[in-house]
Amino acid sequence: MVKIGYHASHEQFPPSELLALVRSAERAGFDCAMSSDHFKPWGPAQNQSGSAWPWLGSAMATTALPYGIISAPGYRYHPAILAQNAATLSEMFPERLWLALGSGQRLNEGITGLRWPSKPERNARLRECAEVIRALMAGETVSHHGLVTVVDAQLYTLPKSPPRLLGAAVSEATAEAVGQWADGLLTVSAEPDRLKRVIDAFRRGGGDGKPLFLQVGLNWAPSEEEALAGAHEQWRYCVLGGEVNWELASPSDFDTATRHVRLEDMRTSLLVSADLGQHAAWLHEFVELGFSEILLHQVDRSQKRFIESFAASVLPQLR
């Protein structure tokens, strides 16, 4: 049976509020949760960005939910440190964590002052980091000299079972590339035909038989006007799409780039509706594609209303 999860957006809420929200989601009947991992918010309207890793420790200690997190190794996180973070949580909370690895975006990783590479180079760096993390999780002592450098690293505290390493991909090319090393695929919601092409590319690259995870950006409110306005105010940055999302350097850059985005444009990138039945129908299409976990990100600020309404009217239709 597919698991339906709650997405904890650190860009939008302080960590103390997010902790209360995942507890509410657990009580309401959500099966799991996923955490973002940003250093900066997408835009000024969001205005938060707590550290995800200490928050995960608190969330896992005070709920029984399994969690996932997406991080970009090789920039602000050295792969050995990311491996240590994930290993420590997995030792404390066995089999309750998956780690998705992505190629990163300048908004978060640019703080290191490193040259921002092209997408092919970022994908190559990602694969090197994934191999380093996997070797460390296996108890090996790792030295590596390539696009990342690791010298005599070893994890002295290991979990009985390492966390699943997912590959994060939006495009078919990246999905095919991560299929070679990932334990599963994490992607984002899109038209079912486009998602199917991403899944097929992942399987073609080596991911056949591996689980699929989906982060769904959506917005529900009692009226269409409120649903569109809330999505636009908080999450219009998603409309940019393509390489722009990975290249802009600051929240103000995203604000400038989206100054002409209209309310109706939000429907091109998010599932926006006042009809809970419509949301259930959209999500059922994703279930039919074979995803193991579907993580729901309500993009406006009305989180408690979303949790209660979806738990009562949408989740039962997906199980």
Side-chain angles (χ1 to χ4, degrees):
M1 183 181 296
V2 64
K3 293 181 179 179
I4 307 298
Y6 174 77
H7 178 74
S9 178
H10 286 275
E11 307 94 296
Q12 296 176 274
F13 302 97
S16 56
E17 187 173 351
L18 276 182
L19 194 58
L21 288 171
V22 291
R23 291 171 180 168
S24 295
E26 180 181 41
R27 289 193 298 270
F30 282 76
D31 303 308
C32 51
M34 174 185 170
S35 171
S36 62
D37 184 1
H38 270 233
F39 193 85
K40 300 175 185 177
W42 293 91
Q46 296 174 346
N47 202 36
Q48 293 290 333
S49 207
S51 178
W53 288 93
W55 179 86
L56 269 177
S58 296
M60 296 177 82
T62 55
T63 70
L65 296 174
Y67 285 80
I69 183 171
I70 177 170
S71 296
Y75 304 95
R76 63 191 164 108
Y77 291 124
H78 189 279
I81 297 301
L82 202 54
Q84 186 185 36
N85 288 347
T88 296
L89 285 178
S90 295
E91 194 280 333
M92 296 170 70
F93 309 106
E95 299 184 8
R96 285 179 55 198
L97 179 72
W98 53 255
L99 170 60
L101 303 177
S103 59
Q105 62 182 137
R106 190 193 295 262
L107 176 70
N108 296 304
E109 313 313 327
I111 62 167
T112 63
L114 296 174
R115 176 184 61 84
W116 188 239
S118 65
K119 178 60 173 171
E121 184 178 336
R122 297 203 306 274
N123 281 350
R125 182 188 291 254
L126 174 61
R127 179 165 183 170
E128 287 187 19
C129 289
E131 291 171 350
V132 167
I133 291 170
R134 195 177 297 282
L136 289 168
M137 290 287 188
E140 299 177 22
T141 299
V142 177
S143 289
H144 175 87
H145 299 274
L147 294 171
V148 293
T149 300
V150 184
V151 178
D152 196 27
Q154 179 185 351
L155 295 181
Y156 289 86
T157 297
L158 288 166
K160 291 182 180 179
S161 298
R164 180 176 280 150
L165 289 183
L166 307 183
V170 175
S171 70
E172 293 175 53
T174 300
E176 186 169 357
V178 303
Q180 299 170 12
W181 57 261
D183 297 328
L185 172 70
L186 173 67
T187 190
V188 297
S189 52
E191 291 291 332
D193 287 346
R194 179 180 171 186
L195 272 180
K196 189 176 186 305
R197 292 195 298 272
V198 171
I199 293 168
D200 289 345
F202 175 70
R203 289 172 172 160
R204 186 167 62 246
D208 195 32
K210 297 176 182 178
L212 308 171
F213 298 70
L214 182 68
Q215 181 182 346
V216 177
L218 59 86
N219 212 51
W220 171 82
S223 72
E224 292 292 326
E225 294 78 12
E226 186 181 351
L228 281 170
H232 184 272
E233 192 266 343
Q234 283 289 299
W235 216 257
R236 63 185 178 276
Y237 319 107
C238 68
V239 173
L240 294 172
E243 285 299 302
V244 176
N245 275 334
W246 322 128
E247 297 295 337
L248 297 181
S250 71
S252 61
D253 287 346
F254 276 91
D255 208 38
T256 300
T258 56
R259 66 189 182 278
H260 297 306
V261 173
R262 303 165 303 170
L263 291 177
E264 278 298 321
D265 295 333
M266 301 311 301
R267 298 188 191 277
T268 65
S269 300
L270 297 171
L271 304 180
V272 181
S273 178
D275 183 350
L276 289 167
Q278 177 62 75
H279 281 284
W282 281 328
L283 295 172
H284 184 71
E285 289 185 284
F286 300 144
V287 173
E288 290 295 303
L289 289 174
F291 287 97
S292 301
E293 287 188 19
I294 298 177
L295 295 309
L296 307 184
H297 179 194
Q298 165 83 357
V299 301
D300 76 7
R301 304 198 65 82
S302 302
Q303 298 294 300
K304 290 183 179 179
R305 183 176 66 183
F306 156 75
I307 289 170
E308 293 167 0
S309 298
F310 267 60
S313 301
V314 176
L315 269 57
Q317 299 185 58
L318 304 176
R319 293 169 173 155

